[in-house]
């Protein structure tokens, strides 16, 4: 019996390194009981991943999505679970994000060029499409970092973000985000599960503040907390499990695997026991 799951991963449809089918193959090879694909802002990898999962009878596949929502401090990311590529309310949101990126990306390129960094949108698109025939991947700053590295303007991804692309970088342009209530409502409209991703990244000052945020998200319809995540210490994970139980929320977890863009994060790590999810939530996640 397989005992561990990974409910947070990215593919080439957004800023991950592996094509969706390849990611599924690796999840099976890692002996996972279940894997969810949760690309940023796109459902574009779900059809391929779900079809590939048909070849692995011991691996359950969960269609997902990660949405960046508006929040006054750190990052508020909301995960959707139990969807496929036809989820209309979420497609409306992802299309809006794609349009916003199409407007934002050239502005970042223009800033880079004004700084004397000779890089074009074509270079970035090439960096995003390299590994696979993904027809229409999300173009993110990760691809810009790769293009900058390959053209020799920086030596590492980190340098690309520090000097140019990060929030204090010289070519930074902010990203369009959605109000949390709208994101959660769209997820619930699809009859999917809405889960607060990696609470540590909210950057709350203390536990009381985090609990206020969680209460508000519960009011908006959030159903679970991602207690296990590669950014969480075991102590944080325990605290988030307690918080979830206190507010009658489901518990999930995942690695946030990206491949090379996050080289320290391994698929299936940290270990998330399938038993941690709880029966009712597991029933809704895995059917
Ligand atoms: P974007 O969606 O285009 O704003 O790009 C966001 C992605 O860039 C995130 O999902 C991370 O993978 C990556 N990223 C953001 N900030 C940094 C940073 N400071 N260092 C490395 N990667 C980063
Ligand atoms: Mn990412
Ligand atoms: Mn995230
Ligand atoms: Mn993620």
């Amino acid at each position: 019996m397989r005992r561990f799951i990974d409910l947070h991963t990215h593919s080439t449809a957004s800023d991950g390194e592996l094509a969706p089918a390849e990611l599924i193959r690796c999840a099976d090879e890692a002996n996972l009981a279940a894997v969810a694909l949760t690309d940023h802002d796109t459902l574009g990898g779900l059809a391929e991943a779900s079809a590939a999962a048909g070849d692995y009878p011991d691996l359950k596949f969960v269609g997902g999505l990660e949405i960046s929502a508006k929040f006054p401090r750190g990052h508020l990311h909301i995960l959707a679970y139990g969807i496929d590529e036809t989820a209309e309310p979420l497609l409306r949101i992802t299309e809006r994000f794609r349009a916003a990126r199409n407007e934002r990306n050239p502005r970042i390129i223009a800033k880079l060029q004004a700084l004397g960094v000779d890089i074009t949108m074509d270079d970035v698109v090439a960096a995003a499409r390299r590994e696979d025939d993904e027809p229409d991947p999300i173009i993110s700053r990760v691809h810009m970092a790769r293009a900058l590295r390959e053209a020799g303007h920086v030596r590492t991804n980190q340098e690309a973000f520090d000097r140019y692309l990060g929030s204090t970088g010289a070519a930074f342009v902010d990203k369009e985000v959605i109000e949390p209530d709208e994101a959660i409502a769209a997820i619930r409209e699809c009859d999917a599960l809405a889960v607060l991703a990696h609470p540590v990244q909210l950057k709350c000052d203390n536990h009381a503040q985090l609990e206020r945020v969680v209460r508000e998200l519960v009011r908006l319809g959030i159903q679970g907390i991602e207690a296990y995540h590669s950014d969480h210490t075991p102590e944080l994970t325990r605290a988030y499990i307690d918080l979830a139980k206190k507010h009658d929320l489901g518990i999930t977890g995942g690695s946030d695997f990206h491949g090379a863009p996050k080289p320290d994060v391994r698929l299936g790590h940290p270990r998330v026991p399938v038993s941690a999810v709880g029966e009712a939530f597991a029933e809704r996640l895995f059917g």
Side-chain angles (χ1 to χ4, degrees):
M1 271 293 281
R2 296 184 172 192
R3 288 171 41 223
F4 299 104
I5 59 178
D6 189 336
L7 300 180
H8 192 153
T9 71
H10 296 270
S11 77
T12 49
S14 66
D15 57 354
E17 180 191 9
L18 302 183
E22 182 65 5
L23 178 79
I24 297 301
R25 193 187 65 72
C26 290
D28 187 70
E29 204 171 86
N31 263 312
L32 294 177
V35 65
L37 177 63
T38 54
D39 273 312
H40 301 282
D41 305 344
T42 181
L43 308 181
L46 295 183
E48 181 184 322
S50 156
D55 293 340
Y56 304 102
D58 298 330
L59 176 71
K60 287 200 165 69
F61 173 71
V62 182
L65 174 71
E66 181 172 20
I67 302 174
S68 310
K70 198 171 283 178
F71 191 63
R73 17 190 79 250
H75 300 295
L76 170 52
H77 291 177
I78 298 167
L79 295 158
Y81 290 115
I83 53 171
D84 66 19
E85 67 282 1
T86 66
E88 201 46 61
L90 291 171
L91 279 173
R92 282 197 289 274
I93 290 173
T94 57
E95 281 315 307
R96 211 165 85 207
F97 277 134
R98 186 180 289 278
R101 281 185 189 275
N102 287 342
E103 193 260 328
R104 172 204 197 202
N105 288 335
R107 288 171 59 207
I108 300 177
I109 299 294
K111 279 194 170 184
L112 286 167
Q113 287 176 350
L115 292 162
V117 179
D118 187 19
I119 200 117
T120 66
M121 201 56 219
D122 286 348
D123 299 331
V124 176
V125 171
R129 281 197 184 147
R130 174 93 35 82
E131 302 85 349
D132 112 301
D133 304 331
E134 183 67 46
D136 214 2
I138 289 289
I139 309 286
S140 89
R141 285 181 289 162
V142 169
H143 306 116
M144 300 201 182
R146 189 182 302 166
L148 286 169
R149 203 182 61 231
E150 284 175 358
H153 297 292
V154 295
R155 275 182 313 185
T156 62
N157 271 341
Q158 200 50 54
E159 187 185 349
F161 276 93
D162 291 346
R163 281 177 70 185
Y164 299 116
L165 303 171
S167 57
T168 56
F172 179 68
V173 177
D174 219 342
K175 178 159 100 166
E176 160 134 347
V177 286
I178 187 171
E179 294 291 342
D181 60 338
E182 195 187 348
I184 294 169
I187 294 168
R188 299 297 301 265
E189 209 185 314
C190 300
D191 208 19
L193 291 168
V195 171
L196 169 63
H198 43 57
V200 72
Q201 291 186 21
L202 293 166
K203 293 202 166 27
C204 288
D205 291 333
N206 52 53
H207 194 76
Q209 190 180 57
L210 170 64
E211 189 156 7
R212 278 196 297 278
V213 172
V214 166
R215 262 186 234 282
E216 173 61 12
L217 291 172
V218 167
R219 197 182 65 77
L220 298 179
I222 208 106
Q223 294 144 293
I225 294 183
E226 185 180 51
Y228 298 78
H229 183 273
S230 48
D231 285 350
H232 296 168
T233 62
E235 293 70 34
L236 280 176
T237 295
R238 270 196 294 279
Y240 298 147
I241 288 172
D242 290 345
L243 189 61
K245 288 186 172 159
K246 181 170 172 189
H247 293 273
D248 207 15
L249 294 167
I251 293 161
T252 72
S255 60
D256 213 350
F257 176 76
H258 283 64
K262 284 193 185 183
D264 299 337
V265 177
R266 288 164 62 202
L267 189 61
H269 294 263
R271 288 317 219 179
V272 183
V274 66
S275 57
V277 168
E279 230 165 86
F281 218 61
E283 176 62 31
R284 295 217 41 201
L285 276 168
F286 311 126

